[in-house]
Amino acid sequence: MSNGMYNTTAYRTVNGIYYLDACRLRTIRWVESCIPTVYRPAPMPESLASKSDFSAFFVVVNGQLESGEFPYDDLYVRYGFSFGPDWTVVDGIENGLSQIARKAAGCDNSVVWNFPVDISFKSTNAHGWPRMSVSIYGVDSLGRDVVRGYGSVLLPPFAGDYERYIHTYIPVPSSLWQRLVSWLTGTYAEFYDSKLVAQSDNREVTRVESTGVVKVKFSVLTRGMAALGYSLAPGASM
């Protein structure tokens, strides 16, 4: 170790971690600003960081709405989550709206959003496990915003990285005349609630047609499930 105008190199322990420090100091002293910055992931919510809370389990979901394949262009996507009464959102965003994306010239029908998803749940009961619902919107030939597809997917129940494909559809009028009126007036058939696709009620007589596919990626982390008696998949750590 040297002093003066020379580099001072030494090891110091901070929170049980050894850091290699190299700073120019006239006198040998440790200052917090000399400790190199070490990358750490974003901190968990306080409720997740509590080690004494065994009355509930937590599910942390990160990922992205990556892309979609549709016969349309100029599309944007809206997402939301549906879950049971025992579930609460403790961190993150429950609803999101992406940018408008266009297809690349000379490529396939893919529209790329790469729109991030970040949310954390707390629950005492696995019943009502969260589902993500997506709604795809676009612009028709007259510049009007119209729905291009609805769909939903169950969030993976085990920790790990996942890739899911959501097949989308839209409700259709019951007659050709109603379709013509819808096109002329710009009032296309839509669900009154976009999260209806994540439910089973009031969908028995709904007529729909397929429109496309949305690709979604999830990274799931669970905590406290084993303490409440839930079995974990092989390789799960919490």
Side-chain angles (χ1 to χ4, degrees):
M1 186 178 294
S2 60
N3 56 11
M5 293 297 295
Y6 297 96
N7 287 344
T8 301
T9 303
Y11 288 96
R12 188 193 182 191
T13 302
V14 178
N15 294 331
I17 304 175
Y18 284 95
Y19 293 89
L20 178 63
D21 199 350
C23 302
R24 274 189 149 179
L25 302 174
R26 289 184 177 275
T27 60
I28 301 175
R29 68 182 187 276
W30 291 106
V31 291
E32 201 68 22
S33 59
C34 294
I35 301 175
T37 301
V38 177
Y39 171 78
R40 290 184 175 88
M44 282 189 176
E46 294 182 2
S47 56
L48 274 69
S50 174
K51 296 183 179 180
S52 60
D53 186 3
F54 293 106
S55 62
F57 63 85
F58 301 90
V59 179
V60 182
V61 180
N62 295 289
Q64 62 179 355
L65 290 159
E66 186 173 286
S67 61
E69 293 188 7
F70 292 86
Y72 314 105
D73 208 349
D74 296 324
L75 302 177
Y76 60 96
V77 58
R78 182 193 303 271
Y79 76 86
F81 292 94
S82 301
F83 41 84
D86 297 321
W87 291 75
T88 56
V89 176
V90 295
D91 191 59
I93 302 175
E94 187 176 345
N95 299 279
L97 182 66
S98 77
Q99 76 282 2
I100 297 177
R102 303 195 66 181
K103 300 176 183 177
C107 296
D108 55 14
N109 288 329
S110 296
V111 177
V112 179
W113 297 293
N114 287 331
F115 192 68
V117 176
D118 184 9
I119 193 169
S120 301
F121 297 96
K122 175 182 178 180
S123 180
T124 58
N125 191 345
H127 177 71
W129 195 274
R131 294 186 68 95
M132 171 189 276
S133 57
V134 297
S135 306
I136 313 300
Y137 296 90
V139 181
D140 66 4
S141 58
L142 299 180
R144 300 171 299 193
D145 288 326
V146 295
V147 64
R148 297 303 192 188
Y150 296 101
S152 70
V153 63
L154 183 73
L155 294 185
F158 301 114
D161 297 326
Y162 299 88
E163 188 175 281
R164 294 288 186 265
Y165 291 88
I166 306 175
H167 293 267
T168 62
Y169 49 87
I170 56 174
V172 296
S174 58
S175 68
L176 183 61
W177 169 250
Q178 289 178 335
R179 290 195 181 193
L180 178 60
V181 172
S182 297
W183 183 83
L184 292 175
T185 60
T187 55
Y188 296 92
E190 297 183 15
F191 292 129
Y192 67 91
D193 183 4
S194 59
K195 294 183 179 180
L196 180 67
V197 296
Q199 306 170 9
S200 58
D201 298 334
N202 303 320
R203 294 179 54 189
E204 295 84 0
V205 295
T206 304
R207 300 181 61 183
V208 298
E209 65 180 8
S210 178
T211 57
V213 180
V214 175
K215 181 181 179 181
V216 188
K217 289 187 176 180
F218 294 117
S219 292
V220 180
L221 174 67
T222 61
R223 181 181 184 277
M225 297 190 68
L228 293 181
Y230 293 100
S231 60
L232 302 178
S237 59
M238 302 185 73

